[in-house]
Amino acid sequence: MASRAIWKGQLRLSLVSIPVEIHSARNSGSQVSFRQIHKPSGKPVRYQKVVQGVGPVESDDIMKGYETDDGEYILLEPDEIDAIKLETKKTLELSQFVEVTEIAPIWFDRPYYVVPSDELAEDAYRVVRDALRKTKKAGLGQLTMRGKEYLCAIRPCGDGLLMETLHYQNEIREAEPMFSGIEDEAPDKELLEVATQLIDKKTAPFDAAAFEDHYAAALRDLIDRKMKSKKTPRAKTSQDDERPEGENVVDLMDALKKSLKQSKGGSKSSSSKGKKKAS
């Protein structure tokens, strides 16, 4: 399956603008995923938004709440949050450059490939790539996407450019409280020598293909064997089991009855409202 760009715009270096596309570097399709199935009926388990003492609620009645230190919630309307979302800009400007080794691994978040949008952009793209490669620098900039602003670092990767989103400073915990109890004493020289020799002996060029996710391999093998076996229990969803997009498909009347029992009865208004929804 061809990769689909998650962002299209201009990569800018001073007065030079290069049309580029950004693609995720992660292969999420390689992971095995499951759905929860109700064993007696063989139907998928679904989740509903429920308020204690009220029962299922509609999405339009849900607000975002920020919990304060006093245990209260500051309620925010969706329109208020939408109003401060940043407009998606079509420019990623490299505003600063740093040594690649200067950015500690703890700052990196997610990797993306940056590729030229067309053949006309390739010459300028290669110039920026080669300049970063020659100087061993990474370019820093901020990218606006999906209403949020991301701090990014761009550096050479093979024949192209790799963009990695970075954490902001307030997102990283201070390491000192974690390590403060570890005393900084001089190690035993003999033990240090043995450890150093062992590291040297096992040193080799990095090759991710040399490492296998044994759990994922065993899981796929189990699934393959279960698929081939006629004794494997199976569940087949009907068309009615498919969830319409943007809706919570639930048995509202049943859920409301259970909620009323838990709350030792409810008001007439809430009961009639539940029946109206169920109809």
Side-chain angles (χ1 to χ4, degrees):
M1 180 182 292
S3 174
R4 186 174 65 178
I6 63 171
W7 186 89
K8 295 181 180 181
Q10 306 282 329
L11 176 64
R12 180 181 295 173
L13 173 58
S14 188
L15 299 178
V16 178
S17 294
I18 309 167
V20 296
E21 296 180 353
I22 294 176
H23 298 252
S24 175
R26 300 170 65 182
N27 184 17
S28 57
S30 64
Q31 297 178 343
V32 176
S33 61
F34 294 101
R35 284 197 67 178
Q36 291 185 322
I37 303 296
H38 180 232
K39 187 175 181 179
S41 66
K43 293 185 177 182
V45 176
R46 296 201 174 101
Y47 297 91
Q48 58 189 35
K49 297 177 181 179
V50 178
V51 175
Q52 186 176 3
V54 177
V57 296
E58 296 183 0
S59 297
D60 293 342
D61 294 332
I62 299 175
M63 301 177 63
K64 291 187 181 294
Y66 176 82
E67 187 174 6
T68 66
D69 294 337
D70 298 331
E72 295 182 333
Y73 288 93
I74 305 299
L75 302 181
L76 302 173
E77 294 283 354
D79 292 343
E80 294 178 305
I81 297 176
D82 290 340
I84 63 171
K85 285 185 176 179
L86 300 175
E87 181 181 353
T88 300
K89 297 179 181 178
K90 295 301 181 182
T91 301
L92 170 55
E93 183 169 2
L94 301 181
S95 57
Q96 182 186 346
F97 296 89
V98 299
E99 298 286 344
V100 172
T101 56
E102 191 177 338
I103 308 175
I106 194 172
W107 295 102
F108 292 113
D109 184 19
R110 295 193 176 190
Y112 299 86
Y113 294 130
V114 181
V115 298
S117 297
D118 49 49
E119 291 184 5
L120 295 176
E122 290 183 6
D123 286 340
Y125 177 92
R126 281 191 288 263
V127 170
V128 172
R129 179 202 64 191
D130 293 345
L132 290 173
R133 184 182 292 164
K134 182 178 180 180
T135 58
K136 297 181 180 180
K137 298 288 178 67
L140 300 181
Q142 288 179 287
L143 175 70
T144 305
M145 182 170 57
R146 302 179 186 133
K148 297 182 180 180
E149 192 170 42
Y150 298 87
L151 176 61
C152 307
I154 290 184
R155 57 190 176 91
C157 176
D159 292 331
L161 292 172
L162 178 71
M163 183 188 84
E164 293 174 279
T165 54
L166 306 176
H167 294 290
Y168 285 99
Q169 184 176 9
N170 61 350
E171 296 177 321
I172 300 297
R173 288 182 175 179
E174 291 289 339
E176 183 58 32
M178 305 290 180
F179 304 143
S180 59
I182 304 173
E183 297 181 1
D184 189 14
E185 295 183 356
D188 182 279
K189 291 184 178 180
E190 186 175 352
L191 291 176
L192 180 60
E193 181 65 24
V194 172
T196 302
Q197 291 177 3
L198 181 61
I199 291 173
D200 290 339
K201 185 178 180 180
K202 291 181 174 290
T203 297
F206 174 71
D207 180 13
F211 298 87
E212 180 185 2
D213 186 342
H214 296 93
Y215 172 75
L219 189 58
R220 290 190 181 91
D221 180 64
L222 172 63
I223 293 173
D224 288 341
R225 287 188 281 109
K226 298 286 281 186
M227 287 178 66
K228 295 175 182 178
S229 174
K230 293 182 179 180
K231 296 181 180 180
T232 300
R234 285 169 164 79
K236 188 173 183 180
T237 59
S238 65
Q239 198 169 17
D240 295 336
D241 292 327
E242 295 300 322
R243 178 186 299 183
E245 292 186 8
E247 295 183 19
N248 289 318
V249 183
V250 294
D251 188 343
L252 292 179
M253 181 59 73
D254 182 64
L256 282 173
K257 286 180 179 179
K258 291 179 180 179
S259 297
L260 287 173
K261 288 181 180 179
Q262 292 177 357
S263 59
K264 298 180 182 179
S267 65
K268 293 182 179 180
S269 59
S270 62
S271 176
S272 60
K273 184 178 180 181
K275 293 179 180 178
K276 185 177 179 182
K277 290 179 185 176
S279 64

